[in-house]
Amino acid sequence: METKLHYDAGIQTTCPYCGVGCGVVAGPGPDGVAGDQRHPANQGRLCVKGSALHETLTPTGRLLAPRVAGVESNWPDALKAVSGAIREAVAKHGPGSVAFYLSGQLLTEDYYVANKLAKGFIGTPHVDTNSRLCMSSAVAAHKRAFGEDCVPGCYEDFELADLLVLAGSNAAWAHPVLYQRMKAANRPGRRVVVIDPRRTATAELADLHLKLKPGTDTILFNGLLVWLARHRAIDHGYVARHCHGFKETFASALEAAPSVASVAGHCDLEVRDVESFYHWFAETARTVTAFSQGINQSVAGTDKCNAIINCHLATGRVGLPGAGPFSLTGQPNAMGGREVGGLANTLAAHMDYDSPDARDQVGRFWGTEAIPQGPGLKAVDLFEAVHRGDIKVLWIMGTNPAVSLPRSSRVREALARCPTVIVSDCMAETDTTAFADILLPAAGWGEKNGTVTNSERCISRQRSFLPLPGEVRPDWWILSAVAGALGHGRAFDYRTPAEIFREHAALSGLAAREAYGQRKFDIGALSDVSESAYDRMVPLQWPVSADVAGKLYGTRRLYADGHFSTVDGRARLVPVASIVPGQMPSTAHPIVVNAGRVRDQWHTMTRTALAPRLLAHRPEPFIEVHPTDAQRLGLREGELGRLTGSDKGEYVGRVRITTDQRPGEAFVPIHWNQQFASQGTATSLMMPVTDPFSGQPEGKHGVASLQPVPSRWHARLMRRSGQDWRPEQASPDGYWSRQPLSHSDSWWLAGNQPVDWEREVDLWLGGAPQMLMGDPACGRFRAARILKGQLQAILLVDTVVTALPDLAWLDQCFGAEGLSREQRQCLLAARSVETEDTGALVCSCFQVGEKQIATAIRGGKDSVEALGKALKCGTNCGSCVPELRSLLNETRPQQATAAT
């Protein structure tokens, strides 16, 4: 049995969400989490998602035993089915008929074993990962510029920088803890530039917000390079000593962006704003440019990344304190997956297929001759091959491609066509598990043991603190067991994650030595780490070295000496084309659609939706539009709108009207799926166009038409938790979205077909109601079903959605052992007169609503700090602070008007 590191009555582990890699102290059971003050990434801070991790540790929806052909099975039979399908496919169609699709949710040890089994012993090159969808453009850009996939800086640089440029990054919502570190480092003279088509919560930190036209980032940074050259801000000495390609890169940039006026025109910006940005960059030695999905998820993502890196290389600002380009990673272990070769075009230990002798090195190390000759298919092409029938066995681990990949309807078709789909997951019902022929129960957060690597190259331990439930097993165990069933047991005879880690570390050291110091990724000093030392491992940034006494040292920054990971040690400035996105608006599809994250949700919601308070801030799919578009198209705040993409994919959500959005553009969240909404899958609007260098799909830019959705009625339905019901049973053509609450499941519903509520109410409530109220003249209907004194279901119907009440009080009624007299009297009113209506949720940490905040402002709480003292809002993760400021700005003018 593995020992566990205990301190402060808890276990030191890491958060499973974004690439910040926050340290977490978890109790010995599901009774709470806290930020780890000793972890260098977060220093005790946690965002609201991290703070709610213990609320997701629930048996609800867990996959607890293998399933084969839809029937619950056991491990021997499941392993026989998996190995049999792989063996038959290889025998009949060759190794390339088998494919793996992995996830940044896997631990490094899981990733390593998957890559070794697939590429080393099955012999298939077709191993890719959902990190392809978020970080592969940064990977390709790093390789082109530096010779290796390396992030040069560390998180401290965000605090040291005198100019912080955030390009395509809504850090306040996507990387909240880093955003708080940025914010806390504010000081006189420090400037922040936010480059984003939308005004996001992150723009609250900005001294300058460049609200540029989508897809024009390369023009902006090409223009910056030209401006730097014309204003003698290039470090020509650094370029001459340490770089290649400046002349060609400058010529390309000059052709694309000959003047500030041309840049401003192409980007739809004010000339003075572009000049301000360029001046600040030129005069500020300590400049960090952080870029994320808004840059990466593009048909020109690699060029966008290189356009940014070019400006840093030209000014010698790479790997220095407070200076450098910085890729903000999407997933907790995207970098760990890159280290072990989780991408289709890599092998392991930062070796590529075209690295000299790489195939032989890896083959000798693993003891195999089955290494493929060349790279495999990247994510979008991989699923196209599945659709064509080239892939006979597809093993998906810890991810939900039926939702996350572009043109999701075609991905679903591909999964339905594939002869054998194997899915390893901790949840039983996702959009992807619905297509699984074989389901394998994998360990989830709190049950897994291993390592992850965050955005600053910091390796941290993720430790288990919960027993494995049912027949659940770690991913590395499942993979090793399948390898054994395929006859490769000797090469996969792992007993603990530490054994896998030691092998991974040893391969990294060998690869680095064979590269004669050229390769930076090297954790070979950890190749003899003992079980107890592995268990005690503290966060450490690679490359890792050891002194003669065996003391380990990490490396905070890379390339400060100007020596890069190329053969000649010089970096490359890369000429980049200022191209536009793959899809352009047209008469039929005039709206540009941008997709992204919301504050309290993660990816496709399989984990975060288990915590009801994380759905309170944005409970439904929504569409953000500019007021001019809303007026032109007849859209109303809070009503439903429908986006129809160029491939006829549809997305339906609540309309949110805001000047944060540019005219002619719309924003939709990426998280909703067919488990939670009728038509809320954002990727249905995105075409599978990809970056030619990275293979990363254009996930941030689609085109669509936008219309209001006529609705004769709106409804809220609540049913006691655990009841098996889907709204299609009662309203097959209507809109629905599901919002799990603490004691009940609830649905937002709408439809345009008339409904005889009194006749059909039994279908909605699961039986005859005991309380009923109808007013046909105004379209209002309410009914409740009560059994043995307990509320079972309630239905609230009105003609306008704004007439429907908040559900907090009703959810408390579901939690009561028996309804009180007062609760019965108020049930169909859906609100007790003694219960405060808090309004739409703003602060998820302390459950503070919009109306509470407005009341406090009117009572004299006229600052964020004063609101925090009165209501606690904004005092934990701080993600709601931009909304608090917005409410302060909105309420003050109203007070002034009332006073006059």
Side-chain angles (χ1 to χ4, degrees), residues 198-211:
R198 299 168 61 225
R199 180 174 177 82
T200 66
T202 302
E204 192 241 354
L205 192 63
D207 298 285
L208 174 64
H209 175 204
L210 297 178
K211 204 172 183 181

Side-chain angles (χ1 to χ4, degrees), residues 763-784:
L763 183 62
W764 296 82
L765 298 183
Q770 281 68 49
M771 301 179 69
L772 188 146
M773 178 184 73
D775 186 349
C778 64
R780 181 168 297 165
F781 179 84
R782 298 187 176 185

Side-chain angles (χ1 to χ4, degrees), residues 551-567:
K551 184 176 180 180
L552 298 172
Y553 295 90
T555 307
R556 305 199 74 184
R557 297 178 181 89
L558 302 177
Y559 307 132
D561 60 357
H563 186 83
F564 293 87
S565 300
T566 54
V567 174

